[in-house]
Amino acid sequence: MRLPSRPALIGIIAALALTSCGTGGGSGKGSVTLTIAANSIEGGKNAESAQWIKQWVIPEFERTHPNVKVLFQGSGVDDEQYKTRIALDLKSRTGADVIDLDGIWVGEFAQAGYIKPLTEVGGATVEQWEGWAQIPQAVQGLGIFDGKKYGLPQGTDGRVLFYNKTLFTKAGLPATWQPTSWQDIVDAGTKLKAAGVPTPVQLNAGTAMGEATTMQGLLPLLAGAGAEIYSAGKWTGAAQPLKDALGLYQQIYGGSGLGDPKLQQEAKGRDKSFAQFAEGKIGILAESDYFWRSVIEPQAGVAPMKDRDQAVGYAKIPARQPGAGIRGQDFVSMSGGAVRVLNPFSKNPRLAWDLLAFMHSAAATKSQLAGQVRISARADVNDEVLTADPMLKYIADEVLPLTAYRPGVAVYPQVSAALQEATAAVVSGKTADEAATAYQSALEDIVGGAANISG
């Protein structure tokens, strides 16, 4: 959605008692008041985050800053409604001092002038923060737009190839598998097919899969072909990297029998792919670590696999060929996540930065995890908490340094939909070149002409 521009939208928040940013002279013990805003609320949406802020962040920060009073402005609404509320706050130069944002919104808010680079708000001490050394450069990218740091990443994830070791053994493939090219994936799929595996390869495609097609499928392949969807102010059009990515879709779904075209067109196709993998009917599946920790988790997963730790392998997504990926990489990934930003209109910007940095310290990050085995943005915390789960540690150590992020600009959702249409066209029988040409035409309409497109 585009950021609100009409006063009529203010009605959405008329019932809210908004706190002005950084009000001085706060009540109680503090002479300065800071406010944290997040789309979380105790007893409701993202309750654990709200509890952490109220029960740990606020008392711990106030303990070391006796002249500061910290308030929490929680919400428990739809993400788009929360986005509208925050945008209206910032447009009117009010709102909280420290604000939670989805990483995908960073560029849009920056282009609108609603947020500014951290150093412009928090001052020179921002670059001296100890946490930068603990957050991999690629992960920092979640809060970066046009080369400038606008926010601190709260946490992230990574995309990999999951594979069924039992099926691999049946097909004569190694139990420890790491493809180094797209051809290696096709070759493995061919052997799995010969061994009788119903669906050798599941690469999300089409519009029914929605953003899962873009994030788990097309964008990692595009990165593996050496391009990002948006770079240096231009969108990638029907250039060779896109044609290469769609070409792999054509190899999988264009009559080879390596993938199931019908599954990509079903409303619940992604859920069905999860179930089929758990049932031993899919050999290779591209997904995020969510698949490991929430889908095939042995006890409480959506499609639990009791023998997950023994039967499921995971591998990095290879570039088209070694060195062909973005930044000259041999392997690639895509990630998502949330960030926290500073309100550029805060009346206490230096203290607001102190609060933001504190919320992303090692102690605060471990406190927020509350004993859960989850990937954080900090390498030092991951080294400590992920030892119990080798797969998540693999993501943190091997995948995150290679990752990339979606562009946080307003038209991205439309571009993503056009990419999904391109994969759908290939699955339906079009060639990669035909699908790329149609995508180029749609892209020109979305982004305002060929001048905003590269390739």
Side-chain angles (χ1 to χ4, degrees):
M1 88 170 243
R2 294 187 179 277
L3 292 171
S5 58
R6 294 182 296 176
L9 289 176
I10 296 176
I12 296 174
I13 59 169
L16 289 176
L18 295 177
T19 305
S20 295
C21 62
T23 17
S27 60
K29 67 178 182 180
S31 60
V32 171
T33 299
L34 296 175
T35 306
I36 301 167
N39 196 13
S40 57
I41 192 166
E42 287 186 297
K45 185 171 184 176
N46 299 321
E48 291 180 352
S49 176
Q51 291 166 0
W52 170 69
I53 291 172
K54 293 184 73 173
Q55 298 175 16
W56 194 91
V57 172
I58 291 176
E60 287 295 316
F61 187 79
E62 289 181 346
R63 183 174 59 82
T64 55
H65 296 75
N67 294 322
V68 178
K69 175 72 175 177
V70 182
L71 303 177
F72 176 52
Q73 181 181 308
S75 300
V77 297
D78 175 85
D79 288 349
E80 290 298 309
Q81 190 176 355
Y82 173 76
K83 178 184 179 183
T84 298
R85 291 177 176 181
I86 296 301
L88 287 170
D89 283 352
L90 294 171
K91 186 176 182 181
S92 60
R93 301 194 170 205
T94 61
D97 301 271
V98 175
I99 303 169
D100 272 27
L101 292 182
D102 190 319
I104 195 66
W105 303 340
V106 169
E108 187 177 353
F109 275 61
Q111 287 180 324
Y114 294 166
I115 58 175
K116 295 185 182 301
L118 292 173
T119 52
E120 291 186 23
V121 184
T125 58
V126 170
E127 288 298 343
Q128 299 165 13
W129 181 50
E130 59 80 28
W132 295 122
Q134 296 298 336
I135 304 175
Q137 187 65 41
V139 177
Q140 292 181 29
L142 184 59
I144 291 175
F145 180 72
D146 278 352
K148 296 180 180 179
K149 299 171 182 172
Y150 284 86
L152 297 185
Q154 296 185 37
T156 189
D157 57 9
R159 273 77 188 155
V160 296
L161 299 176
F162 292 95
Y163 61 94
N164 187 307
K165 292 182 179 181
T166 303
L167 298 180
F168 265 51
T169 299
K170 181 180 178 183
L173 291 163
T176 301
W177 178 66
Q178 177 55 71
T180 59
S181 68
W182 293 355
Q183 189 59 47
D184 285 351
I185 298 172
V186 172
D187 290 346
T190 301
K191 289 185 177 181
L192 288 164
K193 179 186 176 185
V197 176
T199 304
V201 181
Q202 170 57 31
L203 181 65
N204 290 348
T207 57
M209 298 266 187
E211 189 63 15
T213 286
T214 316
M215 278 293 279
Q216 269 76 277
L218 201 283
L219 291 186
L221 294 186
L222 191 62
E228 294 188 75
I229 192 60
Y230 181 82
S231 179
K234 291 184 179 290
W235 295 89
T236 296
Q240 195 59 47
L242 181 71
K243 292 179 180 179
D244 288 342
L246 292 173
L248 181 57
Y249 273 98
Q250 188 174 348
Q251 282 187 277
I252 293 171
Y253 294 111
S256 65
L258 298 183
D260 181 356
K262 292 182 179 179
L263 188 64
Q264 315 314 307
Q265 301 170 38
E266 295 186 24
K268 298 289 186 180
R270 189 180 181 210
D271 292 342
K272 288 186 177 180
S273 74
F274 293 163
Q276 289 179 12
F277 186 94
E279 293 164 0
K281 297 177 181 178
I282 291 178
I284 303 168
L285 179 143
E287 262 295 342
S288 76
D289 56 81
Y290 160 80
F291 180 72
W292 176 267
R293 54 185 166 80
S294 297
V295 177
I296 57 173
E297 199 280 324
Q299 304 302 322
V302 175
M305 291 183 70
K306 301 299 182 185
D307 61 347
R308 179 198 68 177
D309 295 354
Q310 295 75 42
V312 180
Y314 37 87
K316 289 173 287 188
I317 300 171
R320 179 177 56 81
Q321 61 187 32
I326 55 171
R327 304 184 287 261
Q329 294 173 186
D330 297 333
F331 303 98
V332 296
S333 188
M334 291 295 299
S335 298
V339 301
R340 292 189 184 94
V341 301
L342 293 176
N343 187 328
F345 311 111
S346 171
K347 293 180 174 62
N348 299 284
R350 301 301 186 267
L351 276 173
W353 163 251
D354 288 347
L355 175 58
L356 177 61
F358 174 76
M359 293 177 74
H360 290 260
S361 65
T365 301
K366 284 188 286 186
S367 173
Q368 186 173 17
L369 290 173
Q372 297 181 72
V373 181
R374 295 289 295 273
I375 298 170
S376 79
R378 294 186 61 112
D380 52 355
V381 174
N382 290 335
D383 287 344
E384 183 176 339
V385 304
L386 297 181
T387 54
D389 194 319
M391 193 277 156
L392 295 183
K393 186 159 176 44
Y394 178 83
I395 294 285
D397 293 348
E398 302 290 334
V399 176
L400 293 187
L402 306 168
T403 202
Y405 293 89
R406 295 169 291 183
V409 291
V411 298
Y412 168 76
Q414 295 169 263
V415 175
S416 177
L419 291 171
Q420 295 162 32
E421 290 281 3
T423 65
V426 172
V427 169
S428 299
K430 298 288 187 181
T431 66
D433 283 354
E434 290 171 336
T437 299
Y439 164 76
Q440 173 81 20
S441 178
L443 184 64
E444 289 179 8
D445 290 340
I446 294 167
V447 304
N452 297 315
I453 298 172
S454 63

